[in-house]
Amino acid sequence: MLNAGCYAEYVACDEGWLAAVPDNLPVEQAAGVPLVALNAWQALQQAKPAAGQRALVNVAAGGVGHMAVQVLRWLGRAGNV
């Protein structure tokens, strides 16, 4: 059911699946954020940082690296960033 209507111009879904696009971010750029975040999340799941450990993110200036730092901060596993 997740793929239902993926090529449609309009689609009905639960509002919990939606996120507001900030006024200062073009829709085209906002559409890429979930993919970048998912890549960072999956990479961190492979690394399996445990509570109390720190993680080093090489090249945190790129999209996925930047998002990895944000996810680590959210999880409370980032040091001085």
Side-chain angles (χ1 to χ4, degrees):
M1 181 83 180
L2 288 177
N3 293 328
C6 61
Y7 292 109
E9 187 173 348
Y10 298 98
V11 65
C13 69
D14 185 273
E15 67 182 46
W17 290 19
L18 304 175
V21 176
D23 291 334
N24 62 344
L25 187 64
V27 175
E28 297 81 11
Q29 290 180 4
V33 172
L35 181 59
V36 172
L38 182 60
N39 284 334
W41 181 261
Q42 289 176 336
L44 291 171
Q45 284 183 322
Q46 292 294 315
K48 298 179 180 133
Q53 288 184 328
R54 291 189 181 186
L56 172 65
V57 178
N58 290 326
V59 193
V64 175
H66 177 264
M67 191 61 71
V69 170
Q70 297 304 313
V71 170
L72 287 166
R73 289 184 71 170
W74 176 68
L75 292 172
R77 297 190 178 112
N80 300 325
V81 292

